Amino acid sequence: MSARVIIVVLGKQGAGKGTQCKRLAAHLAIPHVSTGDMLRAAVRDATPTGLEVSSILAAGQLVSDDLVNRLVRERFTADDARGGALLDGFPRTLAQAEALDEILGDDGVKICINLDVTNSLVTERLSSRRVCQECGNIYRDSDIEAISGTCSNCGGDVIQRDDDLPAAILQRLEVYERDTAPLLSFYEGRGLVVRVDGDQEPDAVTAQILALLAQRGVG
Ligand code: AMP
């Protein structure tokens, strides 16, 4: 258990967390754990959890700490998380960060990557973002997959998320500043934060992250 690599990826919605986590997960051979993806899957499958949270997600609000803490606790019981995980979208509140410490025990968070981006860039990125409902692949509204509505990776439906509509984007940025931004000082106090300029092209962001992880003996 001592070699477990738990990496928390912080950043506003649209900072590129999902894209970077997918790449890093492949590189580090640890799972990409996205609470947003888990909740969206529950909504899509109309599970009891999905029915409970669907309007909250659509409005860009946060679901309860108890619910996401439970999802993450369960996720960490799976075999593939033994070597670690990349956490995307969790924790999002101080209460969740404390719950994560409790879930992980002695072998806690190793690194917190902060993907720094300006509000204007994320607003532009989110409003043009289209997503495959099946595999989570991300497209731009000008991509052929978005225009045809079909994912070239898995054939799933490519859609615009409700929470990528303008009112919800604004709401999510406010929620980020209020509830999630304080986590930076929480992890900074432990010397765990590496800052990455998320305004760059995705390849440059990945290269910068890998270099910073290597400096800390990861990868
Ligand atoms: P994301 O894909 O990470 O942007 O998450 C999409 C939505 O799922 C968020 O706007 C919230 O409604 C919900 N969500 C995801 N992760 C969490 C979390 N850790 N705590 C509360 N709500 C969350």
Side-chain angles (χ1 to χ4, degrees):
M1 280 303 225
S2 58
R4 191 159 63 160
V5 179
I6 307 291
I7 301 177
V8 166
V9 183
L10 284 185
K12 293 167 195 155
Q13 296 80 357
K17 299 189 297 296
T19 302
Q20 295 301 327
C21 283
K22 278 192 192 0
R23 295 171 176 212
L24 295 172
H27 185 86
L28 300 172
I30 54 176
H32 167 204
V33 174
S34 156
T35 42
D37 284 351
M38 291 156 102
L39 292 166
R40 276 185 292 279
V43 170
R44 192 187 59 222
D45 298 343
T47 66
T49 298
L51 296 174
E52 185 185 332
V53 302
S54 95
S55 59
I56 303 176
L57 260 69
Q61 302 279 3
L62 294 185
V63 309
S64 77
D65 290 335
D66 281 352
L67 196 153
V68 281
N69 292 345
R70 199 173 68 236
L71 287 180
V72 171
R73 187 183 295 280
E74 275 168 24
R75 185 64 186 83
F76 271 110
T77 63
D79 277 351
D80 69 338
R82 280 193 187 182
L86 277 149
L87 289 171
D88 164 7
F90 182 91
R92 239 171 164 111
T93 63
L94 280 172
Q96 292 177 19
E98 283 159 5
L100 179 61
D101 281 344
E102 194 254 315
I103 292 168
L104 297 174
D106 292 342
D107 185 26
V109 173
K110 183 148 181 154
I111 294 177
C112 172
I113 298 170
N114 182 46
L115 276 179
D116 223 356
V117 275
T118 55
N119 277 4
S120 58
L121 183 71
V122 293
T123 304
E124 189 265 311
R125 277 189 190 165
L126 290 174
S127 32
S128 63
R129 176 164 78 173
R130 301 293 181 272
V131 185
C132 171
Q133 271 191 308
E134 295 302 321
C135 70
N137 256 16
I138 293 165
Y139 299 102
R140 303 263 69 95
D141 54 359
S142 53
D143 290 339
I144 184 70
E145 291 87 349
I147 295 163
S148 68
T150 307
C151 177
S152 54
N153 181 46
C154 73
D157 288 341
V158 175
I159 54 134
Q160 180 170 34
R161 286 166 42 172
D162 288 341
D163 58 355
D164 284 344
L165 294 168
I169 293 174
L170 209 60
Q171 174 66 35
R172 291 160 76 202
L173 287 173
E174 280 172 19
V175 168
Y176 183 84
E177 285 308 325
R178 188 189 65 213
D179 295 327
T180 309
L183 290 181
L184 259 187
S185 338
F186 179 85
Y187 288 119
E188 249 159 8
R190 298 184 183 179
L192 296 179
V193 176
V194 295
R195 288 177 178 271
V196 175
D197 175 7
D199 282 357
Q200 310 170 84
E201 286 304 310
D203 286 350
V205 175
T206 311
Q208 194 181 351
I209 294 175
L210 290 176
L212 288 164
L213 292 181
Q215 278 172 19
R216 295 193 167 220
V218 173

